[in-house]
Amino acid sequence: MKSKVLVTGANGQLGKTIRDLSTNFTKLIDFVFVEKSELDITNSKSLTLFFETNDFDYCINCAAYTNVDLAESETEIAIDINANAVKSLAENCKTYNIILIHISTDYVFDGQSTRPYNEDDPTHPINNYGASKLFGEEHIRKQLDNHFIIRTSWLYSKFNKNFVKTIFNKLKNDEKLTVITSQKGTPTSCVDLSNFITFLIINRVSNFGTYHFSAEGETTWYGLALHIAQLLDKTSNVSPIKDYPSKAKRPLYSVLSTKKVEQVTKKPLNHWKVSVDEVIKSLS
Ligand SMILES: NC(=O)c1ccc[n+]([C@@H]2O[C@H](COP(=O)([O-])OP(=O)(O)OC[C@H]3O[C@@H](n4cnc5c(N)ncnc54)[C@H](OP(=O)(O)O)[C@@H]3O)[C@@H](O)[C@H]2O)c1
């Protein structure tokens, strides 16, 4: 039987990627995509009405407040979207027996680790965005057993605004760039993440809980920019700088251990360079 799957926040880069790939799964999944203008997840009345009048097996929550720096001043808005609305989503999923697939972040960690973070490592966000996302996770765990919380890192895609596209466009215009070396993490393609999400649905994985999903390997923002520059033959345009001042603190090390994901999929993950190359090819 086909799974009926709701995707909230469908106009974000992850939502758009899932929509883009959805044609590969038409025999297995009926997707319903809703943007913020169609379903504002902070409006608990319309949320409940929406779930009352529709019938879903899964909800993939791609809706989020994602501006890390602005979340330092717009804290209440970030908490409203990333935590309070997520609580309402989880409550509705429980009432209507829907499996919630929620996306969270490496920024729930403080970056003091010297090895990749496991799913059960202690969390300690160092900015308001990370704190708001952690509150969201905690609400889900309290409300709903049937959930997947997928923490991911440094997302990019051919859609919307993201680091990979920004660097690509600037290098295409032959701009000179200085990029920071202080933070280490793993760039993750929305395509790879979308394929993992659909894998969970198609294979009816029932090992619910928290998963860390990223590509294989690690780098710095400078390393990522340099790799894009190599693809465009523009390495002399990119120079390293230790750090830039920013409103929000960011973890210096936020590499996620993906062992649990690999145990489920029984497949190695793409190296981050392989997935970056694919997106750059699609932009070229
Ligand atoms: N981007 C990253 O590097 C990164 C890293 C780790 C984890 N994540 C997580 O991955 C998920 C997907 O991120 P993304 O990069 O795809 O984010 P995104 O591009 O910023 O998309 C988020 C979407 O949510 C929508 N939205 C905001 N408030 C909403 C509301 N009240 N109701 C319904 N929709 C609402 C936004 O609409 P508007 O644009 O109209 O406001 C936007 O379309 C998020 O949970 C994020 O926290 C992202």
Side-chain angles (χ1 to χ4, degrees), residues 7-20 33 62:
V7 181
T8 55
N11 218 20
Q13 59 166 342
L14 180 59
K16 282 185 179 170
T17 306
I18 297 172
R19 198 196 284 256
D20 195 37
F33 293 93
C62 298

Side-chain angles (χ1 to χ4, degrees), residues 220-262:
T220 63
W221 293 110
Y222 168 71
L224 174 54
L226 192 65
H227 179 71
I228 298 166
Q230 277 160 354
L231 296 172
L232 300 176
D233 208 11
K234 298 257 183 189
T235 49
S236 58
N237 286 41
V238 182
S239 6
I241 183 170
K242 183 146 195 304
D243 218 343
Y244 270 129
S246 65
K247 281 193 193 145
K249 274 199 215 162
R250 285 164 171 79
L252 293 181
Y253 179 88
S254 65
V255 179
L256 301 171
S257 166
T258 53
K259 277 189 214 135
K260 193 174 164 187
V261 161
E262 284 168 294

